[in-house]
Amino acid sequence: MPLFLIERQFADALQLDDASVAAVKQINTDVGVNWLISFLSADRKKTYCLYEAPSADAIREAARLAHLPADVVVEVSRIRPESFA
């Protein structure tokens, strides 16, 4: 399945509770996207998330349903360190 990097910018510092996380996970499941990992900026206003998804449109739909920004959605490929040897 294709990989996508999503940049999300928030107006205020991001605050997540267990209920919010559970709701986003359910939306992702319903839409068919799979969250892999996220990084949070030091000021807590930006996230960079790696997802598996059938398309960029699926990522955007999951974000829309979860009321989350998806400012930049880029399809990426995996590079392993041994590729640079």
Side-chain angles (χ1 to χ4, degrees), residues 6-60:
I6 297 92
E7 179 182 314
R8 304 177 195 277
Q9 185 152 349
F10 300 90
D12 297 311
L14 184 61
Q15 302 295 328
L16 293 174
D17 58 24
D18 291 341
S20 297
V21 171
V24 170
K25 284 182 180 180
Q26 185 59 56
I27 289 167
N28 288 346
T29 297
D30 293 346
V31 174
V33 303
N34 182 39
W35 168 81
L36 298 173
I37 191 168
S38 290
F39 297 92
L40 182 61
S41 65
D43 66 2
R44 300 182 64 89
K45 290 186 176 184
K46 239 183 214 184
T47 61
Y48 300 90
C49 306
L50 185 63
Y51 277 81
E52 292 176 321
S55 67
D57 286 340
I59 293 288
R60 289 185 189 96

